Amino acid sequence: MRPSMTGLEISRRRQESIEFQSPFPSRSCFRSRSLMASAASAPSRAEVLSLFRSLLRTATKFTDYNVREYVRRRTIDGFRENWGLSDPSSIASAFADGRNQLEVAKRQVVVYSLYAPKIKNVMEIRSG
Amino acid sequence: MASAKHLSVLRRALPAGRLLSTAAASAAPLPVEDAAEDVISMKGVRISGRPLYLDMQATTPVDPRVLDAMLPFYLSRFGNPHSRTHLYGWESDAAVEAARSQVAALVGANPKEIFFTSGATESNNISVKGVMHFYRDKKRHVVTTQTEHKCVLDSCRHLQQEGFEVTYLPVGPDGLVDLDRLAAAIRPGTGLVSVMAVNNEIGVVQPLEEIGRICKEKGVPFHTDAAQALGKIPIDVEKMGIGLMSLSGHKIYGPKGVGALYLRRRPRIRVEPQMSGGGQERGIRSGTVPTPLVVGMGAACEIATKEMDYDGRRIAALQERLLNGIRSRLDGVVINGSVEHRYPGNLNLSFAYVEGESLLMGLKEVAVSSGSACTSASLEPSYVLRALGVDEDMAHTSIRFGIGRFTTEAEIDRAIELTVKQVEKLREMSPLYEMVKEGIDLKSIQWAQH
């Protein structure tokens, strides 16, 4: 199984050249074995799954209940929605978008935790 | 990326972030947080945690993606967009223009038709007062509805004091404006028709395309307050014949303090500026454009463009869940406003035989608003509900549930639970309800006069 580190390292280097952090389209996933080169290299199945897992892992780190649930839900729904994509360029762009979203999420986890209120949300306190 | 351990060290090093005097403003009205007991005590109310938020019409939380877009402009890219001579100004200006196109794309406009303001209230002021003052020699009449937002009604009252005439159209019991009455009310001297797209209190969606068509036929500019509609229902200024539109940032998961005004260029609609100054925003609104806020609004609009369908479906499902959950366990629940022509994220319910203030006092773990809260500090029932013809006692018990992008099913279920419990508790104690259960018609009672 190909280590997923390689894909993420490439993406990290590419992030440095991005100028304005405008938000990106909804997260997406795809299944592709095509090796067609576009601006971002075509992702493998392993890379896609790694992105999916990273997004879910990042979601759990948010200190805010609503944001945490949203990131988790949106990731799952977004990947499910784009599961059937077959056109290589759209797959590659969707993957790039997903990676950018991951970077945004990682930064925001830090920001939210710096200012987390001491009292928890009512939804997190008692059950039912 | 900082690990969790480093973060906890950081947090301990900055106890509650109150060391700097600049943090004083944020420390001021905080609730007394008794960390030992985990209870918040504020305004005489004790709750165990931060309430779940169901008041999306009042304001919305800032989307993390929006915050991410804004932060660089508070940190290193802090330039004034009107500085022409250095990188700080250039990059700031580029960001403002990018945000402008993002906002324009959401409503189907040209970026040159979007002007940034401090919010929908300012945009409404510019629209109503600005248009009428510009055409004051020829046009002296404004047509609007009784359910408009306070800023539109207040601007109209201001115009009335200056000698203009204003027609306040009534609405039906479903909250919709009667198109025939609207067409009949427009005269040769009418300078503006102002009808809001989605009402903030009852969530009713007005028939914008038909109104736009009527206004186009009669050659009158059509202004709509789309603060609650932006990013939630599809808006196309061409299809809807909109001449002016007020947009708000903090209703679409953007920052507070920013809004926009759409001003049609073909045919050109002229306004008299309300803010005099250096001629920024093409003279329409002078004052430094707040880059971080504007970038935030642009980001929020771009996200809304992409997420509108997904959010719309989800929010509609959540509204169903809320309504069915409450209706299956309570009777005497009335929806205020049309059920078909409604934005699903706004549910305004009245509970019969229950007193409004006590209902709200018992719902402290859910952040909701009542029908009268956003209009005035007094206990007067909301003018919107009165315009619908809702009885005073029902108007007092109205609760507005606002569902949004970040609302979860669990929150809806908890809100149903708390609402039903509180209503049942109050009805148990109510002698009026006892009489109703015995079959007595309350309206037929002759109350003894002492």
Side-chain angles (χ1 to χ4, degrees):
Chain A
M1 175 138 158
R2 247 180 75 189
S4 53
M5 270 302 130
T6 333
L8 285 173
E9 263 172 34
I10 297 172
S11 77
R12 226 173 282 135
R13 261 180 263 136
R14 221 166 262 131
Q15 291 306 313
E16 284 152 22
S17 60
I18 290 181
E19 282 287 74
F20 296 114
Q21 300 297 331
S22 56
F24 301 96
S26 36
R27 296 174 185 84
S28 38
C29 175
F30 35 88
R31 182 181 16 174
S32 162
R33 304 204 173 248
S34 137
L35 290 173
M36 186 156 125
S38 52
S41 54
S44 71
R45 187 186 170 83
E47 281 179 321
V48 164
L49 287 175
S50 161
L51 176 64
F52 181 66
R53 276 196 303 267
S54 303
L55 278 165
L56 288 185
R57 255 200 313 269
T58 311
T60 61
K61 300 199 179 117
F62 272 101
T63 49
D64 181 295
Y65 165 78
N66 293 94
V67 175
R68 186 169 63 233
E69 291 295 309
Y70 175 77
V71 174
R72 191 173 164 275
R73 183 177 65 237
R74 192 70 190 86
T75 305
I76 295 173
D77 287 346
F79 274 64
R80 187 181 298 147
E81 224 173 275
N82 287 340
W83 190 241
L85 275 184
S86 53
D87 169 35
S89 60
S90 66
I91 289 170
S93 72
F95 185 68
D97 289 334
R99 271 204 314 243
N100 285 324
Q101 293 278 38
L102 178 63
E103 293 303 306
V104 171
K106 283 183 180 170
R107 280 193 295 266
Q108 290 309 306
V109 161
V110 176
V111 173
Y112 272 76
S113 66
L114 289 173
Y115 293 95
K118 283 198 288 215
I119 305 289
K120 287 186 171 291
N121 189 304
V122 145
M123 300 300 296
E124 297 172 303
I125 292 183
R126 51 192 175 107
S127 51
Chain B
M1 182 185 122
S3 71
K5 211 172 17 163
H6 296 154
L7 283 176
S8 59
V9 167
L10 201 60
R11 226 175 299 137
R12 265 181 269 129
L14 303 165
R18 317 267 180 262
L19 289 178
L20 305 170
S21 59
T22 47
S26 68
L30 272 182
V32 173
E33 293 182 357
D34 190 344
E37 284 181 28
D38 264 354
V39 167
I40 304 177
S41 173
M42 198 170 181
K43 301 223 179 196
V45 175
R46 290 171 71 86
I47 37 177
S48 54
R50 296 184 66 79
L52 66 96
Y53 192 76
L54 280 184
D55 197 11
M56 297 292 173
Q57 279 71 41
T59 187
T60 52
V62 173
D63 194 302
R65 295 164 282 191
V66 167
L67 186 64
D68 194 73
M70 289 168 63
L71 280 174
F73 296 93
Y74 280 122
L75 301 175
S76 53
R77 298 180 185 164
F78 53 82
N80 183 324
H82 313 292
S83 302
R84 301 260 192 104
T85 56
H86 47 70
L87 173 72
Y88 292 93
W90 303 331
E91 67 185 358
S92 202
D93 188 50
V96 167
E97 294 311 311
R100 206 185 297 275
S101 350
Q102 286 167 325
V103 176
L106 183 54
V107 296
N110 186 308
K112 291 192 188 163
E113 296 172 316
I114 301 289
F115 300 89
F116 289 111
T117 62
S118 68
T121 298
E122 183 180 346
S123 301
N124 280 329
N125 270 265
I126 298 175
S127 304
V128 175
K129 291 197 270 196
V131 165
M132 294 313 290
H133 285 164
F134 191 86
Y135 296 106
R136 60 160 59 91
D137 298 325
K138 302 200 201 82
K139 310 281 183 183
R140 305 291 297 179
H141 180 232
V142 177
V143 175
T144 184
T145 68
Q146 287 175 1
T147 53
E148 290 298 302
H149 194 267
K150 255 298 156 92
C151 50
V152 173
L153 295 179
D154 211 58
S155 304
C156 291
R157 198 171 334 145
H158 185 265
L159 288 177
Q160 271 180 304
Q161 281 169 353
E162 291 182 341
F164 291 83
E165 278 179 52
V166 181
T167 302
Y168 300 94
L169 292 172
V171 294
D174 58 356
L176 293 169
V177 68
D178 187 335
L179 294 170
D180 298 322
R181 288 185 83 154
L182 171 70
I186 299 177
R187 314 178 204 152
T190 302
L192 186 72
V193 167
S194 177
V195 180
M196 76 194 313
V198 173
N199 189 290
N200 54 316
E201 285 199 40
I202 50 182
V204 164
V205 183
Q206 301 288 353
L208 295 175
E209 285 189 30
E210 282 85 359
I211 299 175
R213 199 181 29 86
I214 294 174
C215 291
K216 198 164 176 189
E217 276 168 17
K218 310 233 170 183
V220 181
F222 172 35
H223 165 251
T224 179
D225 178 1
Q228 296 286 345
L230 184 68
K232 304 193 170 112
I233 58 167
I235 298 179
D236 185 336
V237 292
E238 291 306 318
K239 254 197 328 176
M240 296 172 171
I242 296 173
L244 302 103
M245 185 161 59
S246 307
L247 309 170
S248 172
H250 72 108
K251 305 281 171 32
I252 49 164
Y253 313 94
K256 294 176 188 50
V258 67
L261 172 67
Y262 162 78
L263 206 53
R264 178 175 281 276
R265 283 173 85 227
R266 292 202 181 90
R268 184 181 290 265
I269 301 199
R270 312 283 303 271
V271 292
E272 203 181 75
Q274 304 289 304
M275 298 280 293
S276 316
Q280 286 84 7
E281 294 292 282
R282 294 163 185 257
I284 303 283
R285 202 268 179 188
S286 298
T288 301
V289 172
T291 313
L293 298 179
V294 156
V295 163
M297 183 167 181
C301 287
E302 172 147 359
I303 296 175
T305 316
K306 284 155 190 148
E307 303 278 328
M308 207 186 316
D309 288 335
Y310 176 83
D311 284 343
R313 277 176 302 182
R314 203 185 128 65
I315 290 173
L318 287 175
Q319 188 211 33
E320 279 254 356
R321 194 186 178 111
L322 180 61
L323 202 51
N324 293 341
I326 290 184
R327 277 203 152 147
S328 64
R329 294 165 62 177
L330 290 175
D331 57 343
V333 175
V334 176
I335 303 177
N336 296 315
S338 161
V339 183
E340 302 84 30
H341 300 271
R342 159 180 292 271
Y343 166 60
N346 183 328
L347 191 60
N348 192 311
L349 300 176
S350 281
F351 300 91
Y353 323 116
V354 165
E355 208 278 305
E357 284 295 309
S358 26
L359 177 56
L360 277 184
M361 284 312 292
L363 281 182
K364 278 310 157 208
E365 292 190 334
V366 185
V368 285
S369 161
S370 81
S372 57
C374 36
T375 50
S376 65
S378 72
L379 286 178
E380 200 186 291
S382 123
Y383 63 92
V384 172
L385 293 178
R386 206 172 335 127
L388 289 184
V390 175
D391 282 334
E392 270 217 30
D393 51 345
M394 291 296 269
H396 270 296
T397 78
S398 67
I399 300 261
R400 179 185 69 188
F401 293 94
I403 306 170
R405 179 184 293 165
F406 297 100
T407 313
T408 63
E409 281 87 353
E411 284 181 322
I412 296 284
D413 292 339
R414 178 79 71 92
I416 294 173
E417 200 55 55
L418 292 168
T419 310
V420 166
K421 237 181 18 189
Q422 183 67 7
V423 170
E424 282 175 343
K425 194 169 88 169
L426 288 173
R427 282 182 175 169
E428 272 315 289
M429 295 194 285
S430 160
L432 278 182
Y433 190 57
E434 269 179 46
M435 291 163 71
V436 166
K437 279 207 293 196
E438 288 168 14
I440 303 174
D441 176 20
L442 291 183
K443 301 229 194 286
S444 66
I445 298 174
Q446 300 276 11
W447 298 104
Q449 318 232 352
H450 292 274

